[in-house]
Amino acid sequence: MATVEVHAKLTTKALIWGLHCLRLEDVVAVSYSDGSRRFTIHSYQVTKEKWISSSRRSRKDLHFLAPDAEEVLQWVSAFADQGCHINFLRHPLASSKKKSTVVDAGSSPSPSIRCRSRPTVLVILNPRSGRGRARKVFSKAEPVLKASTLSIHFAFTHGHSASFLQLAGFRLTIVETTDARHAQTLASTVDLSTCPDGIICVGGDGIVNEVLNGLLSRDNPHRASEVPIGIIPAGSDNSLVWTVLGIRDPVSAAVAIVKGGMVGMDVLGVEWTKTGAVHLGFTIAYYGFMSDVLELSGKYQKRFGPLRYFVAGALKLLRLPQYKCEIDFVPVDTKKDEASGPNVRLEVDRHGDLEAGTIEAIFSRSTSTENDHDATNEPSDYVRGLDGKTKKQLSTRASFPGCCTEEALSVHHGTTSPSPRPRTRSKSRSEKSWSGLSVDGESARVSRANSVISSNGEAENVSSAPKWDSPAPKWDSPAPKWDSAAPKWDSSPGPKWDSPVDSRFSSESDSFPPSSDSVVPKWEHRQGYFLGIMLCNHQCKTVQCLPSQVLAPGAEHDDGNLDLIIVRAVGRLQLLRFFWSMQFNRHLKLPFVEYIKVRQAILKTAGNDLQGCGIDGELLELNSPISAALLPYQCRLIGRARPRQQ
Ligand SMILES: Nc1ncnc2c1ncn2[C@@H]1O[C@H](COP(=O)(O)OP(=O)(O)OP(=O)(O)O)[C@@H](O)[C@H]1O
C-alpha cells in the first residue's frame, strides 16, 4: 500500500490530520512497533445508530509511520503525556518467532523513558445482575482493558500485527460472586496490595454498594476509602455510573477506566440508632412506596429482570398501603455553612473527641453550649455531614495509572506540595493548564519531562500510580463501630409510634434550636402520612426511563449535602401524578412534594408492620429510627464526572 505523507498535530484534546480529527478521549492505547517506526492508535469511537437515537462505541485502529527515530520519540512522549497507554511491540516479523509482545528495556525508544507496571485491579462480577447477563456484558468491556493470551498467540501464528490486540494491559483478577454479601465480604477482607489500582464492579448499584460497605468496614476505613472503585454497568439500573459519569454502556465504562481520572464521591451513612449498625450508600436511601416496590421486586428478578421494578410497582399500586412516619432534618443554610468554619469541624475530626453516635448523643451535642459548637452538627462519630469545602480539605488527591496528574506536573516544575489538597471533581487533561502539544521539538521536550517508560515496555507518568504509602490525612477519631452485617429482618414487630412526638426533634420546641446561634443546627420536623421519603446523594437518573429524567435535579455527588424529597400525600392518584410528573421533571413542583437540601435527617416509622428501607437497591429492615448524614470523607470512582448541567 502506498504511503501518504500527512502533517498531524497532537493537542490535549485530539489528534488532527488533514480534515480528520480523533478525540483523545476515545483513544484507549497506542501501540508502537519496535524497529518499524509504526504506530497504531486504538480507539473506541462513538457512532450514532442510524435509525434509533442511541449511540455505541466501536473499535477503530489508525496506523501511521513516523518519519525518523527522533519523531518516534516525540510521538511516544506526546501520547504518554496525554495519558495514552503505550504498548511497545516487537516488529511483527521479528516477534513471530518469540510469542511475546513485551520488549525489554533496551528496545524502548529512549533509555530516559521508563514504563510503569500494568494496572492491577480486582474485578468483582455479579453473575445475577440484570437478567443474569453480567458475564456477557463484561466480555464486551474486557478486551478494552486487556487482551487475552490466546488472542495474542493467535495474532502471531497468523501473522497479524500484535498491536491490534494488546490494549490497556490491565492485570485483572476476576471473582464472580456466589451469593448476596459475597462482594461485601471480599471487599472487607481482600489484601489491598493485590489490587493496588482498585476494584472494578461488574453489576448494578447493589454490587457497588456491597463493595463500598465492605471496604469501609475494614480496620482502616479512611485508607480503604482511597481504593478506586470502577464500575462496568451490567445491572438492572445503574443509576450511579449513569448519573455521575454519564456512562450507560460497558465499553464506554471500560474506556473511562482505562483513561483514568478520579471522581470524589460523598458517602451517605445511615445509622440504626438502636443497634448502632451503619449501612452506607452512594446513591439514595428511601422509605415508603419505593422500598415496598424494592421488596416485592425481589420475587420477580428471574422472570422479569430489569422490568421487575415496573411489575412490582404496578402490583404495589393496586394494594397501596399507608406510610406513617416522622422525619426530622437539618436544612442546609449555605450562608451559615460558609461562615461556620469547616476548619472547626476538621479539628473535631482530628482530635476525635466525639462520643459514639446515638440519637441521644446527637441530641446532647445539638443542645450543647456555644463553646461546644464544634461538635454541634455531628450526628455521630461516623455519620457526619460536612460541607463540601471541609471535605475538600480532608480527602486526598486521586491519581490513577495512565492519568497525567497535577502531581506529575508539579514535580516537573519543582513545586511539589505535600498538602493533600483534594479535588472532588476530576479534571480532564484538557482542563489543566497544559499547553497544547504538537509534535515539534518544543512539545516533545515538555512531553519527555513528564513521561516515563519502563523496561516492560509501557509508558506512563511516574507519579500517577496510586500510592498507598503516600501521606493521607490522619484521622484520630475512633474507627466506626460496625455490625458485621447489615441489620437483619427479624420477626419482632416494628416500633410503635403512638406516643407523642419527642419534643427534642420538633421545630416547635422553644428550647431547641436557639434561633440566634449560627452553628447549632435548626431541626425541622414533619410527620403524618407520606407516599415516600427519599434522601439523594446525586441526581439519581434512572437508566430505564427517559435520559432526561432526574429524581433530584439539585443534588451533586460531591457537594457535601443530601437532597431530601418528601412526597406528602396519600392515594394512588397522587402517586401516579408524582411518577407521571417525574417523566417531565415536574415532580418537584407538585404541591404535596417538598424538596430540601439537608445535612442530616432522622426517620421514625409508625405502625406495627415490619417495614423496610432501601439503600442503593439494598433492602434493609427498619426496626428502629434511622439517622442519615454524609461521612466526613469521600470515596473515589474511577472516571471523570459528567459536566454539570447549568
Ligand atoms: N451470586 C449471587 N447470587 C445471588 N445474589 C447475588 C449474587 N451476587 C450478588 N448478589 C446480590 O444481588 C444484588 C443485586 O445485584 P446488582 O445490583 O449487581 O444487580 P441488579 O439488582 O440487577 O442491579 P441494580 O441494583 O442496578 O438494579 C446485590 O445487592 C447482591 O446482594
Side-chain angles (χ1 to χ4, degrees):
M1 197 196 285
T3 314
V4 185
E5 193 176 315
V6 292
H7 289 281
K9 187 180 172 190
L10 185 64
T11 72
T12 52
K13 290 216 162 128
L15 175 71
I16 302 157
W17 72 102
L19 293 174
H20 304 277
C21 173
L22 174 65
R23 295 187 318 164
L24 284 189
E25 62 186 60
D26 297 335
V27 175
V28 170
V30 177
S31 296
Y32 159 65
S33 191
D34 177 39
S36 69
R37 293 180 277 114
R38 176 191 163 95
F39 284 81
T40 302
I41 303 172
H42 311 280
S43 67
Y44 276 81
Q45 296 178 36
V46 181
T47 44
K48 289 253 178 238
E49 300 284 338
K50 243 184 179 177
W51 303 112
I52 40 177
S53 62
S54 72
S55 55
R56 65 185 184 93
R57 281 185 185 265
S58 52
R59 171 88 175 267
K60 282 205 177 105
D61 286 339
L62 174 79
H63 311 275
F64 70 91
L65 284 177
D68 53 48
E70 197 185 330
E71 282 229 8
V72 165
L73 193 61
Q74 287 174 5
W75 278 108
V76 168
S77 299
F79 276 120
D81 209 23
Q82 296 310 309
C84 298
H85 178 89
I86 297 180
N87 299 307
F88 286 103
L89 309 166
R90 280 195 182 279
H91 190 280
L93 293 177
S95 56
S96 62
K97 288 172 195 155
K98 297 178 188 177
K99 291 163 191 165
S100 164
T101 54
V102 179
V103 295
D104 53 23
S107 307
S108 74
S110 164
S112 66
I113 298 178
R114 282 189 300 117
C115 269
R116 65 165 155 80
S117 57
R118 294 168 167 194
T120 305
V121 294
L122 170 68
V123 177
I124 302 181
L125 185 149
N126 176 5
R128 298 279 297 275
S129 283
R131 252 192 178 162
R133 294 202 192 122
R135 280 190 204 115
K136 200 173 164 199
V137 168
F138 187 58
S139 70
K140 293 181 190 162
E142 195 178 6
V144 181
L145 302 172
K146 68 159 206 173
S148 71
T149 325
L150 191 70
S151 55
I152 291 169
H153 177 83
F154 174 86
F156 284 118
T157 51
H158 290 76
H160 295 291
S161 164
S163 62
F164 277 90
L165 297 156
Q166 179 82 5
L167 291 186
F170 274 54
R171 282 202 185 93
L172 309 176
T173 306
I174 303 167
V175 179
E176 289 194 7
T177 57
T178 50
D179 47 42
R181 304 272 165 245
H182 183 177
Q184 187 165 338
T185 312
L186 200 58
S188 65
T189 53
V190 68
D191 177 0
L192 292 178
S193 65
T194 61
C195 50
D197 300 308
I199 297 178
I200 296 177
C201 308
V202 185
D205 289 334
I207 208 76
V208 183
N209 186 271
E210 282 200 17
V211 168
L212 169 72
N213 279 278
L215 278 176
L216 297 198
S217 67
R218 298 176 74 101
D219 287 344
N220 189 343
H222 306 294
R223 187 173 164 202
S225 71
E226 292 168 14
V227 175
I229 300 174
I231 306 171
I232 306 279
S236 315
D237 195 31
N238 302 282
S239 177
L240 175 64
V241 65
W242 171 224
T243 311
V244 177
L245 307 183
I247 288 171
R248 294 170 88 161
D249 68 283
V251 177
S252 297
V255 171
I257 288 169
V258 169
K259 301 302 288 180
M262 212 70 71
V263 178
M265 274 296 305
D266 289 341
V267 183
L268 162 67
V270 179
E271 180 190 357
W272 272 250
T273 58
K274 214 162 146 187
T275 60
V278 174
H279 195 90
L280 307 174
F282 272 140
T283 298
I284 184 172
Y286 44 87
Y287 162 75
F289 177 75
M290 277 173 73
S291 54
D292 270 3
V293 169
L294 177 68
E295 187 187 354
L296 193 60
S297 68
K299 282 187 191 170
Y300 303 106
Q301 174 157 24
K302 261 196 177 164
R303 214 179 317 160
F304 294 107
L307 286 179
R308 68 186 185 275
Y309 296 116
F310 292 106
V311 175
L315 291 175
K316 203 77 211 172
L317 191 70
L318 295 176
R319 299 183 64 185
L320 186 67
Q322 291 192 333
Y323 305 98
K324 190 180 178 192
C325 68
E326 298 167 24
I327 174 107
D328 298 271
F329 53 91
V330 182
V332 171
D333 184 335
T334 23
K335 274 187 206 159
K336 280 182 188 171
D337 284 351
E338 286 296 318
S340 67
N343 292 335
V344 175
R345 271 172 275 158
L346 182 61
E347 281 305 305
V348 172
D349 290 327
R350 291 216 162 139
H351 296 302
D353 56 357
L354 296 177
E355 68 231 59
T358 60
I359 290 284
E360 286 69 32
I362 296 162
F363 173 68
S364 66
R365 280 191 286 273
S366 301
T367 52
S368 56
T369 63
E370 247 184 78
N371 294 338
D372 277 310
H373 69 278
D374 52 2
T376 48
N377 277 358
E378 311 300 333
S380 81
D381 282 49
Y382 41 89
V383 182
R384 257 170 279 179
L386 297 186
D387 61 11
K389 205 173 162 188
T390 310
K391 279 192 293 195
K392 280 173 190 171
Q393 289 171 333
L394 294 178
S395 47
T396 50
R397 273 204 287 175
S399 58
F400 191 72
C403 166
C404 305
T405 62
E406 281 180 342
E407 262 170 308
L409 272 183
S410 60
V411 171
H412 167 56
H413 294 299
T415 56
T416 45
S417 159
S419 68
R421 187 180 62 78
R423 199 174 54 219
T424 55
R425 177 168 291 266
S426 68
K427 273 190 170 184
S428 67
R429 285 166 199 95
S430 53
E431 285 174 288
K432 293 170 193 163
S433 55
W434 297 8
S435 54
L437 287 179
S438 59
V439 187
D440 56 28
E442 197 184 330
S443 65
R445 275 198 297 280
V446 175
S447 305
R448 268 196 295 277
N450 287 326
S451 306
V452 284
I453 300 173
S454 75
S455 57
N456 69 358
E458 295 159 318
E460 74 151 358
N461 288 280
V462 158
S463 55
S464 65
K467 289 187 188 70
W468 298 114
D469 301 333
S470 62
K474 290 204 169 54
W475 295 85
D476 300 321
S477 56
K481 284 190 308 178
W482 283 91
D483 270 14
S484 54
K488 289 189 179 64
W489 291 95
D490 65 26
S491 53
S492 60
K496 286 187 180 149
W497 294 105
D498 298 330
S499 53
V501 188
D502 189 331
S503 62
R504 289 179 305 178
F505 301 115
S506 164
S507 58
E508 278 93 47
S509 162
D510 47 14
S511 64
F512 171 75
S515 56
S516 59
D517 195 313
S518 64
V519 178
V520 173
K522 266 191 176 177
W523 287 91
E524 288 194 24
H525 177 76
R526 307 281 186 275
Q527 72 178 90
Y529 291 97
F530 303 90
L531 283 170
I533 290 180
M534 292 151 252
L535 263 178
C536 307
N537 192 29
H538 55 72
Q539 292 185 335
C540 299
K541 288 172 179 251
T542 52
V543 175
Q544 293 175 36
C545 302
L546 297 175
S548 59
Q549 186 184 308
V550 168
L551 181 61
E556 289 293 350
H557 58 273
D558 59 357
D559 67 352
N561 299 310
L562 291 162
D563 285 37
L564 175 66
I565 299 174
I566 301 175
V567 188
R568 199 189 173 112
V570 275
R572 293 187 194 100
L573 198 65
Q574 302 294 46
L575 187 64
L576 283 174
R577 224 177 128 193
F578 179 78
F579 281 114
W580 178 252
S581 310
M582 208 165 102
Q583 308 306 313
F584 310 101
N585 290 326
R586 291 204 207 114
H587 54 295
L588 301 178
K589 293 192 179 128
L590 293 170
F592 53 86
V593 175
E594 271 190 87
Y595 182 52
I596 314 138
K597 268 203 184 294
V598 300
R599 279 182 165 279
Q600 184 196 344
I602 296 172
L603 176 82
K604 294 186 266 183
T605 55
N608 290 331
D609 293 345
L610 197 58
Q611 303 195 52
C613 79
I615 301 177
D616 295 2
E618 302 289 289
L619 186 66
L620 300 159
E621 180 187 4
L622 208 51
N623 58 0
S624 77
I626 51 172
S627 169
L630 294 176
L631 295 197
Y633 47 85
Q634 295 183 313
C635 282
R636 300 165 172 190
L637 284 192
I638 304 170
R640 310 229 183 94
R642 71 190 300 161
R644 285 172 212 247
Q645 283 160 356
Q646 298 302 319

Short mmCIF file of all heavy atoms in Angstrom, two decimals, residues 17 53 115 155 159 193 255 264 305 352 390 393 441 514 532 538 552 562 629:
data_model
loop_
_atom_site.label_atom_id
_atom_site.label_comp_id
_atom_site.label_asym_id
_atom_site.label_seq_id
_atom_site.Cartn_x
_atom_site.Cartn_y
_atom_site.Cartn_z
N TRP A 17 -5.29 15.57 11.72
CA TRP A 17 -4.52 15.47 10.49
C TRP A 17 -5.45 15.74 9.32
O TRP A 17 -6.57 15.22 9.27
CB TRP A 17 -3.82 14.12 10.38
CG TRP A 17 -4.72 12.96 10.09
CD1 TRP A 17 -4.92 12.33 8.90
CD2 TRP A 17 -5.56 12.26 11.03
NE1 TRP A 17 -5.81 11.29 9.02
CE2 TRP A 17 -6.21 11.24 10.32
CE3 TRP A 17 -5.84 12.42 12.40
CZ2 TRP A 17 -7.12 10.37 10.93
CZ3 TRP A 17 -6.74 11.55 12.99
CH2 TRP A 17 -7.36 10.55 12.26
N SER A 53 -32.08 6.71 18.19
CA SER A 53 -31.30 7.87 18.63
C SER A 53 -30.18 7.49 19.60
O SER A 53 -29.67 8.32 20.32
CB SER A 53 -32.24 8.89 19.30
OG SER A 53 -32.81 8.28 20.42
N CYS A 115 8.90 2.59 31.92
CA CYS A 115 7.49 2.21 31.91
C CYS A 115 6.97 2.01 33.31
O CYS A 115 7.71 1.65 34.20
CB CYS A 115 7.30 0.90 31.17
SG CYS A 115 6.97 1.15 29.45
N ALA A 155 -2.59 -14.06 17.02
CA ALA A 155 -2.10 -13.00 16.15
C ALA A 155 -0.73 -13.33 15.58
O ALA A 155 -0.49 -13.15 14.39
CB ALA A 155 -2.03 -11.70 16.92
N GLY A 159 0.23 -14.24 11.72
CA GLY A 159 0.93 -13.15 11.06
C GLY A 159 0.28 -11.78 11.18
O GLY A 159 0.65 -10.85 10.49
N SER A 193 -3.12 -4.90 48.72
CA SER A 193 -1.90 -4.80 47.91
C SER A 193 -1.98 -5.67 46.65
O SER A 193 -1.19 -5.52 45.74
CB SER A 193 -0.68 -5.18 48.75
OG SER A 193 -0.79 -6.54 49.11
N VAL A 255 -13.59 2.14 28.74
CA VAL A 255 -12.73 3.22 28.21
C VAL A 255 -12.46 4.25 29.31
O VAL A 255 -11.33 4.70 29.49
CB VAL A 255 -13.39 3.88 26.97
CG1 VAL A 255 -12.63 5.13 26.55
CG2 VAL A 255 -13.47 2.89 25.81
N GLY A 264 -14.40 12.25 43.24
CA GLY A 264 -14.68 12.14 44.68
C GLY A 264 -16.17 11.99 44.89
O GLY A 264 -16.95 12.77 44.35
N GLY A 305 -36.31 -9.61 35.14
CA GLY A 305 -35.04 -8.88 35.05
C GLY A 305 -35.24 -7.41 35.38
O GLY A 305 -35.91 -7.06 36.36
N GLY A 352 -10.88 13.67 67.46
CA GLY A 352 -11.75 12.55 67.76
C GLY A 352 -12.41 12.64 69.12
O GLY A 352 -12.48 11.67 69.85
N THR A 390 -15.13 21.52 53.53
CA THR A 390 -14.40 20.76 54.52
C THR A 390 -13.87 19.48 53.90
O THR A 390 -12.73 19.10 54.09
CB THR A 390 -15.33 20.38 55.68
OG1 THR A 390 -15.98 21.55 56.10
CG2 THR A 390 -14.55 19.78 56.82
N GLN A 393 -10.92 19.70 52.02
CA GLN A 393 -9.70 19.78 52.81
C GLN A 393 -9.29 18.42 53.32
O GLN A 393 -8.14 18.16 53.59
CB GLN A 393 -9.91 20.71 54.01
CG GLN A 393 -10.02 22.15 53.60
CD GLN A 393 -10.45 23.01 54.76
OE1 GLN A 393 -11.13 22.54 55.68
NE2 GLN A 393 -10.07 24.26 54.72
N GLY A 441 9.67 19.96 18.13
CA GLY A 441 10.74 19.77 19.10
C GLY A 441 10.39 20.26 20.47
O GLY A 441 10.66 19.61 21.46
N PRO A 514 -31.95 27.11 69.36
CA PRO A 514 -31.91 28.56 69.59
C PRO A 514 -31.73 29.27 68.25
O PRO A 514 -30.82 28.93 67.50
CB PRO A 514 -30.68 28.75 70.48
CG PRO A 514 -30.09 27.42 70.73
CD PRO A 514 -30.78 26.42 69.89
N GLY A 532 -43.71 8.70 50.10
CA GLY A 532 -42.30 8.32 50.06
C GLY A 532 -41.41 9.41 50.62
O GLY A 532 -41.75 10.60 50.60
N HIS A 538 -27.00 12.06 44.81
CA HIS A 538 -26.75 12.67 43.49
C HIS A 538 -28.08 12.78 42.77
O HIS A 538 -29.12 12.47 43.36
CB HIS A 538 -25.69 11.89 42.69
CG HIS A 538 -25.97 10.44 42.51
ND1 HIS A 538 -26.95 9.97 41.66
CD2 HIS A 538 -25.41 9.33 43.06
CE1 HIS A 538 -26.97 8.65 41.69
NE2 HIS A 538 -26.06 8.24 42.54
N ALA A 552 -33.58 14.02 41.61
CA ALA A 552 -33.19 15.15 42.47
C ALA A 552 -32.30 16.10 41.67
O ALA A 552 -31.07 16.01 41.75
CB ALA A 552 -32.47 14.64 43.70
N LEU A 562 -27.16 16.40 51.32
CA LEU A 562 -28.11 15.42 50.81
C LEU A 562 -29.36 16.14 50.35
O LEU A 562 -29.69 17.20 50.89
CB LEU A 562 -28.48 14.43 51.92
CG LEU A 562 -27.35 13.49 52.35
CD1 LEU A 562 -27.65 12.89 53.71
CD2 LEU A 562 -27.17 12.40 51.30
N ALA A 629 -26.69 10.85 57.31
CA ALA A 629 -25.84 12.02 57.02
C ALA A 629 -24.66 11.54 56.19
O ALA A 629 -24.52 10.33 55.96
CB ALA A 629 -25.36 12.66 58.32
#
